Amino acid sequence: MVDQRSTVERVLAVTAETVDRVVGWSHLPKPLALAVLVGIRSQLRALNLVDTDPDPVPPLDPPLKASDHCKRTIDGRFDNLAQPDMGSVGARFGRNVPLEATWPERGARFHEPSPRVVSEKLLARTEFQPADTLNLLAAAWIQFQVHDWVSHLTSPDSEPWLIDIDADDQWPHSRPMRVPRTPALDGPADVPPTYANRDTHWWDASQIYGDTEEYAVAIRDHDAEGNLLATIELADDGLPTLAAEQLLDANGPKANSWLGLALMQSLFLREHNAICRRLTVAYPDLERDQDRLYNVARLVNSALMAKIHTVDWTPAIIAHPTTVTGMHANWYGILGENFTTKFGRLVDNEILFGIPGGRTDLDGVPFSLTEEFVAVYRMHPLLPDQLDVRSLATGQTRRSYRLDELLADHVHERMADWSMDDLLYSFGRAFPGALTLHNFPAALRDLARPTGEAIDLATVDVLRSRERGVPRYNEFRRHFRLRPAKSFSDLTDNAEWAKQLERIYPDIDDVDLMIGLYAERKPRGFGFSDTAFRVFILMASRRIAADRFLTTDFTPDVYTEAGMAWIRDNTMRTVLLRHFPTLTPVLTKVTNPFAPWPST
């Protein structure tokens, strides 16, 4: 890509990275730290966006008319009107590191050290380490979002990866462990392979609306004559009907469901229906155009999720004062919510007024999510070993469930056993696990798959980065212009971990990315590493800035005035209270719904 910045912008951005390397942004006063983060983001946008399409299609000239494409499509096409296929189902994952650095590991390098040994010696949970500044809704939320963003296809019919199991390993299943491969897309033999996303790349709530026309139709209500209505039909347990669920791929994201994901799905399907009701009150004529009503409600619901992730969830998991301010600035600008709400967007400047409603900006590279983004979002340690279901009325534990009793096969049973407000309260009271070594839940390290075979998900997490050519930890940091760890003790301030790492890895440069991210010292208030944060700085804002429906078409003409007001006036707190007002006494006592809730 061509660096489109002015000389002054480049100098300021390089200076910001230099200050960060010498001092560290998290140690600076907030105003200076924010300026440094802006400079780092400028560098990342200029240097860490890589298009992986070997045969790009030229942009349409002129582009399609926005007035002909004013809704989110099921397959994600037509978000970008000059390149209609951008970000659609089946589009390639991009990269945040140079293509030449993304060759998949093969041969001895792929197997050393054994991903299963890494799982056993470095990841297996020895005792539950809680993230006590968060609640379990935070873990449910991020899986809910990931199910919208990324899902690789796998190929069970191809020759699987065979993971050796040591003789003294307690793995109770067949040996070696068989892991389906990720099929690569067609491309030149002299270029590293690329892979397809089975979801859309856009922030479009596809995790509830679906990626196929068949499912999207199946979840909608029908009137007496069988015509489709704008609202979603929900079963007694608050989830899509069984007929709709049966249309989902049993080997896809459906197999990765659990109770927390189901709670979020049910909550925001209810929110869709509430938005429909509000829109028909404001615009009675919409009742005669059910497709238009459905599409506007989807736009509003999707944008509200993006807002919640930006101003509620992210400030909870990276609770450093600078990043809390920075995430709010991403949405509202540094002038703040009150100023932006009162005066509107006076000039097109994302720093002053936030990204939503500004110009669509691709930074010279077609939009896609990236393999590096997928890799740093491996957060399975967030799941606890058990959940105590508590009574909202008394605060007392009524029953405890092991994690394996909350997974896909048990979701409908758990949702039927307990009321939503009790379950939400129980998640609000529970801690997720910390993103650290020795904290990967046992239930996920012996996980039954729809094929009947079991896998160790920690092993698979390590394997996938090697398979897809995501650089190992030190090399990853070099590509983001960060100082690599000089030694194991330089990587982590836990002396015992340093010794364990040295026993597993021959050299510090051999440390897998996920292992380094979990071992690394974290900035104050952070639930994940500063290395992972670099990818978030880049991609969190890019997912908004590249999306027409969150930038140039984030307008009342597309969303309606009532729809824009719904997004403006709502947060995770108001969504919870709208559908479950019994939570009011608890939620009035917390500043962020993703922080631990008090006892009733």
Side-chain angles (χ1 to χ4, degrees), residues 531-544:
T531 301
F533 180 53
R534 307 305 161 129
V535 182
F536 298 138
I537 294 174
L538 173 60
M539 299 304 294
S541 59
R542 178 165 166 81
R543 281 177 297 160
I544 303 173

Side-chain angles (χ1 to χ4, degrees), residues 21 472-491 507-509 520-521 531:
R21 278 196 298 271
R472 297 204 186 193
Y473 178 76
N474 261 354
E475 189 64 15
F476 189 93
R477 285 180 62 88
R478 291 185 185 101
H479 288 300
F480 281 82
R481 295 166 302 284
L482 296 166
R483 182 180 62 83
K486 299 176 183 176
S487 64
F488 297 103
S489 58
D490 184 38
L491 168 58
D507 186 86
I508 186 64
D509 280 348
E520 182 184 313
R521 304 173 184 87
T531 301

Side-chain angles (χ1 to χ4, degrees), residues 132-154:
D132 56 12
T133 61
L134 299 170
N135 64 36
L136 195 52
L137 290 173
W141 176 267
I142 191 54
Q143 191 188 23
F144 181 53
Q145 295 307 298
V146 167
H147 272 235
D148 176 27
W149 301 333
V150 292
S151 182
H152 285 76
L153 295 168
T154 54

Side-chain angles (χ1 to χ4, degrees), residues 199-448:
D199 297 322
T200 70
H201 293 251
W202 306 108
W203 215 337
D204 59 3
S206 60
Q207 78 272 46
I208 61 174
Y209 295 106
D211 287 321
T212 67
E213 190 72 33
E214 188 179 22
Y215 181 81
V217 169
I219 63 173
R220 290 173 62 174
D221 274 323
H222 297 73
D223 65 14
E225 287 74 38
N227 298 312
L228 284 177
L229 300 178
T231 49
I232 304 294
E233 182 182 6
L234 297 179
D236 291 341
D237 60 6
L239 295 173
T241 62
L242 184 60
E245 187 178 276
Q246 288 175 337
L247 296 173
L248 297 173
D249 181 0
N251 294 306
K254 177 183 174 182
N256 302 324
S257 184
W258 70 296
L259 181 59
L261 182 62
L263 288 176
M264 293 296 103
Q265 183 181 25
S266 178
L267 182 64
F268 281 88
L269 287 173
R270 295 168 194 251
E271 185 71 358
H272 172 93
N273 289 346
I275 295 166
C276 287
R277 292 192 293 270
R278 173 69 187 99
L279 291 172
T280 54
V281 169
Y283 312 104
D285 288 350
L286 273 179
E287 287 202 80
R288 293 193 293 272
D289 189 347
Q290 291 288 305
D291 283 343
R292 167 72 174 149
L293 177 58
Y294 175 87
N295 289 321
V296 173
R298 176 177 181 171
L299 281 167
V300 173
N301 208 15
S302 304
L304 179 56
M305 289 183 204
K307 177 187 175 184
I308 288 170
H309 190 81
T310 304
V311 304
D312 285 336
W313 183 84
T314 307
I317 200 167
I318 51 173
H320 189 285
T322 297
T323 50
V324 170
T325 299
M327 292 312 300
H328 280 84
N330 254 12
W331 194 266
Y332 300 112
I334 62 172
L335 294 178
E337 179 181 4
N338 291 336
F339 187 97
T340 302
T341 300
K342 184 174 182 179
F343 297 105
R345 194 178 187 89
L346 300 179
V347 296
D348 187 14
N349 184 294
E350 70 173 63
I351 294 175
L352 293 178
F353 292 100
I355 302 172
R359 69 180 183 277
T360 305
D361 196 345
L362 300 176
D363 294 300
V365 178
F367 175 73
S368 68
L369 295 176
T370 66
E371 295 291 357
E372 289 70 34
F373 178 83
V374 175
V376 299
Y377 258 114
R378 298 193 184 281
M379 296 183 173
H380 292 114
L382 288 170
L383 272 65
D385 294 313
Q386 72 172 43
L387 172 71
D388 295 332
V389 176
R390 300 175 182 270
S391 164
L392 174 61
T394 67
Q396 299 302 306
T397 298
R398 301 177 65 185
R399 183 167 175 181
S400 296
Y401 293 97
R402 300 186 314 272
L403 177 57
D404 63 283
E405 297 175 299
L406 306 175
L407 300 180
D409 291 342
H410 301 283
V411 164
H412 288 287
E413 185 181 355
R414 298 290 88 82
M415 293 286 283
D417 285 345
W418 306 100
S419 67
M420 277 278 288
D421 48 7
D422 277 349
L423 289 174
L424 289 167
Y425 172 67
S426 302
F427 270 64
R429 288 284 308 276
F431 294 134
L435 293 171
T436 187
L437 297 182
H438 302 297
N439 208 27
F440 209 103
L444 301 185
R445 296 185 60 252
D446 186 354
L447 183 64

Side-chain angles (χ1 to χ4, degrees), residues 81-131:
L81 298 174
Q83 297 175 275
D85 290 334
M86 186 189 297
S88 61
V89 170
R92 298 171 193 266
F93 284 98
R95 289 289 186 173
N96 297 128
V97 300
L99 274 181
E100 60 269 20
T102 65
W103 284 102
E105 296 185 7
R106 294 293 185 263
R109 176 69 169 170
F110 179 81
H111 293 281
E112 294 178 0
S114 165
R116 173 63 180 176
V117 171
V118 173
S119 169
E120 282 280 278
K121 303 298 184 182
L122 296 173
L123 292 173
R125 180 171 282 161
T126 49
E127 62 176 337
F128 179 59
Q129 302 173 63

